[in-house]
Amino acid sequence: QQVQEELNKQLFDNLVSFLRRSHSEFQEKTTEWSCRMKSREIPTAALVLGVNVTDHDLTFKSLSEVLQNNITPYVALLQAKDCPGIKNLMQKLMGQLMNCCVDVDSSDEEDYVQVSQHRIRCSMTSLISWYENITKKTDSETPSKKRTSRHLQSPPVVVIFKDMESFTTKVLQDFIVISSQHIHELPLILIFGIATSPMIIHSLLPHSVSSLLCIELFQSLSCKEHLSTIIDKLLLTTQFAFKLSEKVLQVLINIFLYHDFSVQNFIKGFQLCIVEHFHSQPLSVLCCQLVEAKKRVNSLSHSQCENIRRLPSFRSQVSEKQIALLTTDNFLKEVIQKLLEDLHVYHENYVPVLRCLHVFTSSLPKYPLGKQIRELHCACLENRVWETEEYESSLQLARMLNKSDLVTMLQKCVEIFVSSSGKEFDKVVEKLKEFLAQFQKLEGACQERGESISSQKELQKKTDLYHLQKTLLELKESRRSKKLTKFEMLRFEVVDFIDNLVRNYLVPADHKTLHEIMYFNTASALREHLNAAPRIALHTALNNPYCYLKNQALRSDGGYISNKAPDICIVYKLHLECGRLINLVDWLEAFSTVVMAVEGTNEDAAASDQVDDTIHARFIQAVSELELLGFIKPSKQKTDHVARLTWGGC
Amino acid sequence: MPNLEHPAYPAATLLRLESLVPCRESQVSMLLSIFGERQQFTFSSIFIYGHTSSGKTYVMQTLLNTLQLPHVFVNCVEYFTSRLLLEEILIQLQNCSSETKHASRMLCDTFNDFVRLFKQAVASQDLQDQTLYIVLDRAEQLREMEANILPAFLRLQELTDRNVTVVLLSEIVWELFRPSTGCFEPFTLYFPDYSIGHLQKILSHNHPPEYSADFYAAYINILLGVFYMVCRDLKELQHLAALNFSKYCEPVVRGEANERDTRKLWKNIEPHLKKAMQTVYLREISSSQWERLQRADGEPGQLKGLSAHAHVELPYYSKFLLIAAYLASYNPVRTDKRFFLKHHGKIKKTSFMKKHEKTSNHLLGPKPFPLDRLLAILYSIVDNRVAPTANIFSQITSLVTLQLLSLVGHNDQLDGPRYKCTVSLDFIRAIAR
């Protein structure tokens, strides 16, 4: 469990550092602007962030942190839902600005009183006077304070509009007009967070207002790239012992691509996987760094050993030395240690080879194995990649690569292998370098040959055109006939070599012993958790109450309507049989029949044709519950009728 | 040209005033004659209107400042509630009379309080023998405040019984102000738009000191030739003039042309200005970027404007949702069966009818549609089965927050919400690709 916490922390660190990198360029520009503020234009940054709104919070938080640390202490974050009117906006703005400056000034009493007094009168003038006060104060204090010295002489006030689209136009217009009038007294910088496209500025603001802005555009990385860096850092390293199996990864990526583009949600899903894994898999204690795991293996209890013996991947392995493995714990532990080590080495080798393969496949036309490394990763995890058709076709294509591409790819591969930590790759690197050297030699040879050809040509230049054509044709034919040149031979060799590598190292994890310890593979559970389907859940709850209540009496075979079910279930089932408009009287009738059917003892009540008051009350309650759940609504077309709002195909 | 003459003010001041407000002499002299001498009562309220940047605010400000008339100048956009507005007037009033006394805070919630406090403020100072001017800029905002504010300002003289005049500046005509309950009619004065000659004169008025006035005037002439067709806003023109002047001067600085060589200069600047019209004027790229571009003298192609980034990346299902919404918005309900069912019955006389419908529908704009219909269309256009998960529903709401869809009707209606698709056909085409 502490491993999990560690992971989370590392994860967020990764993310924040990533964001920081993407914004570093942006900051520099801001500082530049603040130096040369001119005319009545308000410097404005339009930050295009993509549609993954859920991620924006984090981005803005880190952005404002960065700004606060490096440029100005005065940063205000505004959200559309807080500012329905210009008044609220000003209030919010002043509140945020003044609070943050109180923090800087270590809040002496007098200042605080002033601030609270100012807050009554939220207008630009009071903001300006506040700003003047603050700057005067910091100017006098700068030599003593280190923190303020890092900021500029007159720090600008940065106002960030988190979600530009949702602001009402009037508020924005008014705010911009007001602040443009005071830009000389109050250096203001606006930052618009834009989710769709920067055109929205023009559609929100009329020209008279947008002419007051000096807009500069910044595009943040697209969320897909963001995702691939995260996958790179989390999954394709040996740093973290925890892995995702192919199906789970597919589910997560599908949710990302099909639904929300939200990296945040992807990470949450990943965390859920971690929790689920540690929760459901008793052997997950061994899912940690290798050294730690070895220690833990030694302290395994007997029952845990039994658990290991029950693992399917282990069972298939124990053909020989069966008895020893199945009976003595100590021997088992030794074997486990060895197996874990194997697994670790496998991971270590897996990643660089995967990257290497990706280098090859990503440049092929039509991308038979996918453009992104994550697709390749999925394919490799799924089954033996070299048995698939796509792999075949990609190898075919690879055999037709031209030389310069091949050389650059090989160089990239060498880099990858050198940077990786695997011990077995020394030989691989050597081999690759050898290939490279051969290519170089070949290049030299080629050049020579080329020169010789050109000299030949020059010789022939003197002869007439007809002869020239003839000789050229001959040359071409000769080249075609000696099809397998040295280069082509070499190319085949390289491709075969890569193929070998793949076959050796990219074995899917399912085929490895003890993979259950590290891989989380219950995709269905994950899908259930992440892809909530409220209507289906509601339907099953009402249609089949046994599913949730676990009451034996409610167990029904479907078809008939049991009267033991809760009232609302009965009412729901009855209403499923009706059309668009439901007659309440008929409904009540049917309800009472169902309820009475088994209560049957007091038949005189049923005979009296008078619905019991309690049943009537129960019916009314159930119907109003259904209305609350949104299945029906009172209709105005006919009295005593309600309208159905849902239709079968949930 | 009517020279400004008025017995109450010294001739020198008037001359200075005249030089400060070119092309507005007639209006200024009109105002002066209305104002009369310092102690004379004048109209209770004056309403000045004219198009954007026809110099209303500027003329009023310079007039009051150069003649040193006691005045209060307030922008109604900035003080967005009546309370803020009234308090601001009182504070300025205190400040303009006596600098020594620090403005004490006063609370002024209603107009009644304002009249009382106003009387106090005026009485305490030596303002009784002079007319006090209260200028309310962007007065159209007053209409959105409490109903009594505008009529009360119009007859402030009467209410306070002091020598005060309220000047309202606005871009719209007085007829749009008139409240239904009726009010005191102010004296209205119209500021006409500047003609091209006026613009030329005003823009050349403040030329940079390094260059001669003629040189700058020639530049302005070229500038107006390019921009006058699209823009008559003085402020905008000034901005553009300042931005592009350095480029215009370039040949002179390099020594390739002298200041008289207008033809050569024109050749140099003209394509540049045309480019500016397409970019800076529309705020496609910001003025600072423009300047950087000028300095670098690089290719403009590398700097893409705002509208170049029009492409929006959407998740897979969001795209389909949006397309479904678009279809639901622009196709009538009765065609749904024909378009989206596999075994529709007849397709008669569609070709002509459909064309006719399409155009008219696009002209009519999007129609609202219920959620059920949207989902039904979604299911029929997506190839594989889609489960109605919470993710799909949350995507609809997120599309609403992105203003690609809009919610029609009540917000709190849980049953049967209705939406409208707000994006254009081009956008949908880009997405559907």
Side-chain angles (χ1 to χ4, degrees):
Chain A
Q1 272 69 8
Q2 81 251 23
V3 179
Q4 178 209 337
E5 267 170 33
E6 255 169 56
L7 258 176
N8 285 358
K9 209 188 278 173
Q10 223 145 1
L11 221 132
F12 274 109
D13 281 351
N14 273 352
L15 192 67
V16 168
S17 69
F18 173 76
L19 288 171
R20 228 167 244 178
R21 243 182 297 133
S22 70
H23 286 300
S24 60
E25 175 205 21
F26 164 72
Q27 289 162 35
E28 284 161 22
K29 294 242 172 90
T30 346
T31 38
E32 205 177 286
W33 291 345
S34 47
C35 298
R36 45 192 195 84
M37 211 95 67
K38 52 151 242 171
S39 76
R40 292 219 323 183
E41 289 193 323
I42 312 168
T44 309
L47 208 57
V48 181
L49 289 163
V51 290
N52 44 340
V53 188
T54 33
D55 298 349
H56 294 180
D57 258 356
L58 209 71
T59 317
F60 281 119
K61 218 189 270 168
S62 61
L63 171 65
S64 69
E65 243 168 57
V66 168
L67 285 175
Q68 239 157 13
N69 288 337
N70 299 333
I71 298 170
T72 166
Y74 316 119
V75 178
L77 275 166
L78 294 177
Q79 241 177 334
K81 65 174 179 226
D82 298 332
C83 317
I86 181 84
K87 197 171 163 189
N88 309 57
L89 189 143
M90 292 299 286
Q91 253 162 4
K92 199 88 191 157
L93 176 65
M94 308 227 352
Q96 286 195 13
L97 284 177
M98 291 179 174
N99 266 342
C100 82
C101 81
V102 165
D103 286 344
V104 170
D105 283 354
S106 60
S107 68
D108 45 320
E109 280 298 301
E110 221 175 318
D111 197 47
Y112 206 78
V113 172
Q114 248 185 358
V115 166
S116 59
Q117 212 176 30
H118 268 305
R119 212 177 271 176
I120 303 162
R121 226 182 104 81
C122 286
S123 73
M124 214 59 183
T125 26
S126 42
L127 194 60
I128 288 165
S129 63
W130 159 81
Y131 182 74
E132 272 168 6
N133 273 342
I134 285 298
T135 40
K136 243 183 265 163
K137 217 171 269 175
T138 43
D139 274 351
S140 57
E141 285 171 20
T142 26
S144 64
K145 276 193 177 178
K146 267 193 179 171
R147 199 192 148 130
T148 38
S149 63
R150 252 201 296 162
H151 304 313
L152 296 163
Q153 267 306 308
S154 61
V157 176
V158 179
V159 182
I160 302 175
F161 293 90
K162 272 189 186 174
D163 36 0
M164 172 94 172
E165 279 93 349
S166 329
F167 276 94
T168 44
T169 43
K170 177 132 193 339
V171 171
L172 272 182
Q173 281 173 31
D174 283 355
F175 182 73
I176 291 169
V177 168
I178 293 172
S179 41
S180 81
Q181 245 153 30
H182 296 282
I183 189 72
H184 289 297
E185 294 118 64
L186 183 75
L188 204 68
I189 293 178
L190 305 181
I191 296 177
F192 295 143
I194 296 171
T196 47
S197 74
M199 294 288 279
I200 197 87
I201 297 177
H202 290 304
S203 59
L204 272 181
L205 304 174
H207 183 252
S208 61
V209 177
S210 65
S211 65
L212 296 172
L213 297 175
C214 172
I215 303 166
E216 213 154 314
L217 193 71
F218 298 93
Q219 190 115 30
S220 77
L221 273 178
S222 95
C223 39
K224 279 183 190 162
E225 285 166 45
H226 199 145
L227 177 77
S228 42
T229 44
I230 281 187
I231 287 182
D232 236 35
K233 279 192 182 153
L234 285 179
L235 298 179
L236 302 179
T237 54
T238 47
Q239 234 175 331
F240 309 113
F242 178 76
K243 305 276 179 202
L244 292 176
S245 78
E246 181 267 337
K247 272 190 196 135
V248 175
L249 188 61
Q250 204 68 53
V251 166
L252 282 180
I253 289 177
N254 273 355
I255 288 177
F256 178 82
L257 289 182
Y258 282 1
H259 290 294
D260 47 10
F261 268 179
S262 163
V263 177
Q264 195 75 31
N265 282 356
F266 182 83
I267 291 170
K268 289 235 175 80
F270 187 70
Q271 285 166 349
L272 182 74
C273 292
I274 297 172
V275 174
E276 220 17 83
H277 181 66
F278 283 96
H279 178 70
S280 60
Q281 180 60 263
L283 290 173
S284 53
V285 274
L286 295 180
C287 176
C288 50
Q289 301 296 330
L290 185 63
V291 187
E292 184 78 2
K294 275 185 182 168
K295 265 187 230 157
R296 286 188 197 176
V297 166
N298 285 329
S299 57
L300 282 181
S301 69
H302 180 69
S303 63
Q304 281 171 320
C305 289
E306 282 300 315
N307 272 331
I308 288 178
R309 280 177 198 133
R310 252 179 259 131
L311 287 178
S313 69
F314 188 74
R315 301 205 100 168
S316 59
Q317 285 288 314
V318 288
S319 50
E320 73 257 25
K321 289 182 270 174
Q322 200 167 8
I323 302 136
L325 272 175
L326 290 182
T327 48
T328 42
D329 282 355
N330 283 335
F331 183 59
L332 177 77
K333 280 174 188 170
E334 270 171 40
V335 173
I336 290 172
Q337 283 189 353
K338 218 175 90 226
L339 284 174
L340 279 178
E341 211 165 311
D342 277 355
L343 205 57
H344 184 74
V345 170
Y346 158 72
H347 282 146
E348 258 181 5
N349 298 339
Y350 176 85
V351 177
V353 174
L354 183 73
R355 279 179 205 277
C356 181
L357 184 62
H358 177 239
V359 165
F360 269 87
T361 55
S362 63
S363 58
L364 295 175
K366 283 196 192 162
Y367 310 108
L369 275 173
K371 207 170 172 181
Q372 305 279 350
I373 196 165
R374 57 168 184 260
E375 294 165 64
L376 194 63
H377 182 55
C378 280
C380 290
L381 283 178
E382 199 179 357
N383 43 29
R384 291 191 175 88
V385 73
W386 58 88
E387 284 171 0
T388 58
E389 278 176 37
E390 289 88 2
Y391 183 75
E392 267 313 305
S393 64
S394 61
L395 274 195
Q396 289 277 328
L397 287 169
R399 289 198 184 102
M400 285 183 270
L401 285 170
N402 65 0
K403 193 177 65 191
S404 59
D405 284 355
L406 207 56
V407 169
T408 48
M409 277 179 205
L410 282 178
Q411 271 160 352
K412 266 188 209 162
C413 291
V414 169
E415 271 168 36
I416 290 169
F417 283 125
V418 167
S419 63
S420 77
S421 53
K423 294 141 206 155
E424 299 173 25
F425 288 127
D426 294 342
K427 260 193 279 173
V428 175
V429 170
E430 264 171 41
K431 184 80 181 158
L432 282 174
K433 279 186 177 157
E434 202 178 298
F435 278 134
L436 272 177
Q438 278 178 345
F439 272 120
Q440 224 105 57
K441 245 190 266 167
L442 207 61
E443 204 167 345
C446 261
Q447 271 174 359
E448 273 169 31
R449 210 193 310 150
E451 277 164 24
S452 65
I453 286 172
S454 60
S455 60
Q456 264 182 350
K457 268 184 191 165
E458 265 175 39
L459 276 177
Q460 283 161 353
K461 236 179 192 174
K462 306 265 162 58
T463 61
D464 59 320
L465 199 68
Y466 174 72
H467 275 285
L468 183 67
Q469 269 181 346
K470 212 173 170 186
T471 45
L472 276 178
L473 275 175
E474 271 168 19
L475 268 176
K476 233 182 232 170
E477 258 168 38
S478 69
R479 218 177 281 166
R480 208 173 286 155
S481 64
K482 51 170 180 174
K483 172 117 181 147
L484 291 178
T485 57
K486 231 180 185 178
F487 165 65
E488 275 153 352
M489 296 276 280
L490 205 53
R491 190 161 64 181
F492 274 120
E493 253 174 68
V494 169
V495 173
D496 285 344
F497 177 69
I498 296 289
D499 188 33
N500 255 338
L501 274 183
V502 169
R503 276 162 202 271
N504 278 339
Y505 294 111
L506 291 189
V507 183
D510 304 7
H511 298 254
K512 286 279 167 187
T513 325
L514 292 185
H515 69 91
E516 286 95 338
I517 290 176
M518 304 219 174
Y519 282 83
F520 175 71
N521 52 10
T522 44
S524 59
L526 187 71
R527 198 176 293 140
E528 219 167 82
H529 286 305
L530 291 182
N531 246 348
R535 262 168 94 163
I536 291 172
L538 213 55
H539 180 78
T540 45
L542 290 173
N543 211 16
N544 186 13
Y546 173 74
C547 178
Y548 288 95
L549 293 177
K550 305 284 182 211
N551 186 345
Q552 281 302 326
L554 294 174
R555 195 151 208 178
S556 72
D557 312 320
Y560 76 100
I561 302 167
S562 151
N563 71 324
K564 298 226 175 50
D567 293 343
I568 187 168
C569 297
I570 300 173
V571 171
Y572 178 77
K573 277 191 178 175
L574 287 171
H575 116 282
L576 282 181
E577 294 162 7
C578 297
R580 213 185 103 65
L581 286 175
I582 306 169
N583 190 335
L584 275 175
V585 179
D586 293 350
W587 203 2
L588 171 62
E589 203 86 337
F591 178 72
S592 74
T593 0
V594 170
V595 174
M596 298 301 249
V598 182
E599 268 174 25
T601 46
N602 46 351
E603 279 179 19
D604 48 335
S608 70
D609 207 27
Q610 184 68 39
V611 178
D612 193 3
D613 275 353
T614 45
I615 290 177
H616 197 170
R618 277 165 64 185
F619 174 71
I620 290 174
Q621 190 184 4
V623 168
S624 59
E625 274 170 357
L626 270 193
E627 192 181 336
L628 189 72
L629 288 175
F631 284 101
I632 53 170
K633 73 171 181 186
S635 85
K636 280 165 195 154
Q637 295 167 16
K638 269 178 168 176
T639 48
D640 291 348
H641 280 69
V642 288
R644 250 183 98 173
L645 289 170
T646 52
W647 293 101
C650 291
Chain B
M1 190 196 292
N3 266 320
L4 296 178
E5 273 177 24
H6 202 275
Y9 307 103
T13 333
L14 287 176
L15 215 62
R16 196 153 51 101
L17 181 65
E18 195 182 333
S19 72
L20 279 175
V21 285
C23 311
R24 279 279 173 256
E25 290 85 2
S26 64
Q27 280 81 15
V28 170
S29 69
M30 174 71 128
L31 278 174
L32 281 178
S33 55
I34 291 169
F35 287 175
E37 290 175 33
R38 278 168 188 275
Q39 71 281 5
Q40 283 169 343
F41 275 74
T42 163
F43 279 97
S44 169
S45 49
I46 300 170
F47 180 79
I48 299 176
Y49 69 102
H51 204 260
T52 320
S53 71
S54 50
K56 304 176 295 289
T57 312
Y58 175 72
V59 166
M60 230 26 234
Q61 231 160 4
T62 38
L63 180 67
L64 293 171
N65 278 332
T66 36
L67 299 184
Q68 289 176 330
L69 299 168
H71 68 277
V72 170
F73 207 97
V74 184
N75 188 332
C76 294
V77 179
E78 192 180 337
Y79 303 98
F80 38 86
T81 65
S82 62
R83 195 178 131 200
L84 281 176
L85 183 72
L86 298 177
E87 282 175 6
E88 179 62 25
I89 293 174
L90 290 174
I91 286 172
Q92 281 197 24
L93 202 59
Q94 278 185 342
N95 286 346
C96 83
S97 58
S98 48
E99 284 79 14
T100 49
K101 193 169 68 181
H102 186 71
S104 61
R105 287 197 49 75
M106 49 186 114
L107 290 171
C108 177
D109 279 324
T110 63
F111 210 85
N112 201 10
D113 286 343
F114 174 72
V115 170
R116 183 173 52 80
L117 289 166
F118 182 80
K119 276 187 191 168
Q120 275 177 19
V122 175
S124 63
Q125 295 139 22
D126 45 357
L127 287 173
Q128 274 117 332
D129 52 343
Q130 291 182 39
T131 314
L132 177 74
Y133 295 94
I134 296 177
V135 185
L136 300 174
D137 200 359
R138 307 279 298 253
E140 56 268 18
Q141 295 288 323
L142 285 178
R143 297 180 302 167
E144 275 148 42
M145 295 179 187
E146 286 88 343
N148 69 333
I149 294 287
L150 182 61
F153 266 122
L154 288 175
R155 49 205 320 161
L156 192 63
Q157 201 174 62
E158 190 183 323
L159 287 171
T160 56
D161 200 20
R162 294 285 182 278
N163 190 357
V164 61
T165 292
V166 177
V167 182
L168 303 169
L169 305 180
S170 175
E171 288 176 12
I172 55 180
V173 293
W174 169 247
E175 277 68 32
L176 293 171
F177 273 79
R178 201 173 282 142
S180 55
T181 49
C183 66
F184 184 81
E185 291 286 320
F187 176 83
T188 52
L189 182 66
Y190 176 58
F191 274 42
D193 281 353
Y194 292 115
S195 69
I196 187 164
H198 288 161
L199 284 175
Q200 164 96 40
K201 198 169 160 194
I202 296 165
L203 283 173
S204 345
H205 195 255
N206 45 357
H207 60 89
E210 308 92 86
Y211 297 96
S212 71
D214 285 345
F215 177 65
Y216 194 73
Y219 166 64
I220 292 298
N221 202 3
I222 292 171
L223 187 86
L224 279 178
V226 175
F227 282 104
Y228 188 70
M229 295 298 287
V230 291
C231 172
R232 301 183 182 191
D233 191 332
L234 180 63
K235 255 186 264 168
E236 196 67 12
L237 283 171
Q238 253 167 352
H239 178 75
L240 288 167
L243 271 184
N244 295 312
F245 187 58
S246 63
K247 184 82 183 172
Y248 182 70
C249 296
E250 230 169 49
V252 181
V253 173
R254 280 203 303 257
E256 289 172 9
N258 65 2
E259 293 193 8
R260 301 259 158 245
D261 204 351
T262 26
R263 198 183 152 69
K264 203 168 189 176
L265 289 172
W266 186 76
K267 275 239 169 97
N268 178 38
I269 193 75
E270 208 232 349
H272 190 73
L273 284 180
K274 286 233 168 99
K275 211 161 53 194
M277 185 159 75
Q278 280 159 10
T279 54
V280 183
Y281 172 61
L282 292 175
R283 290 300 187 276
E284 287 283 309
I285 63 176
S286 68
S287 46
S288 63
Q289 277 174 320
W290 180 252
E291 279 183 346
R292 222 173 301 149
L293 198 68
Q294 273 186 347
R295 232 169 291 138
D297 216 14
E299 274 294 299
Q302 68 203 5
L303 248 180
K304 278 191 247 159
L306 285 182
S307 48
H309 298 269
H311 179 65
V312 178
E313 251 182 32
L314 284 175
Y316 185 74
Y317 281 138
S318 295
K319 280 183 191 172
F320 276 108
L321 269 175
L322 204 57
I323 294 169
Y326 186 79
L327 291 173
S329 261
Y330 286 99
N331 284 335
V333 183
R334 66 198 151 79
T335 59
D336 277 2
K337 206 171 169 188
R338 202 172 61 204
F339 289 151
F340 302 117
L341 237 57
K342 283 223 171 71
H343 304 290
H344 47 73
K346 65 254 167 168
I347 315 175
K348 291 180 210 158
K349 56 176 179 180
T350 40
S351 59
F352 175 70
M353 279 285 288
K354 222 165 70 186
K355 223 170 199 175
H356 182 69
E357 274 167 14
K358 261 244 160 74
T359 46
S360 64
N361 279 338
H362 278 287
L363 287 179
L364 285 172
K367 290 190 192 65
F369 53 88
L371 177 65
D372 290 347
R373 198 174 154 221
L374 172 70
L375 289 178
I377 294 179
L378 174 73
Y379 297 149
S380 76
I381 59 173
V382 178
D383 291 335
N384 43 0
R385 241 180 82 74
V386 195
T389 58
N391 276 330
I392 297 272
F393 294 122
S394 69
Q395 270 179 58
I396 297 176
T397 43
S398 73
L399 284 176
V400 171
T401 52
L402 295 178
Q403 297 206 330
L404 298 173
L405 299 181
S406 70
L407 197 62
V408 185
H410 301 296
N411 277 343
D412 52 329
Q413 202 174 24
L414 269 178
D415 43 349
R418 295 166 78 78
Y419 298 94
K420 237 183 197 181
C421 184
T422 53
V423 295
S424 64
L425 183 61
D426 293 337
F427 190 88
I428 288 292
R429 279 217 181 102
I431 278 179
R433 210 176 294 131

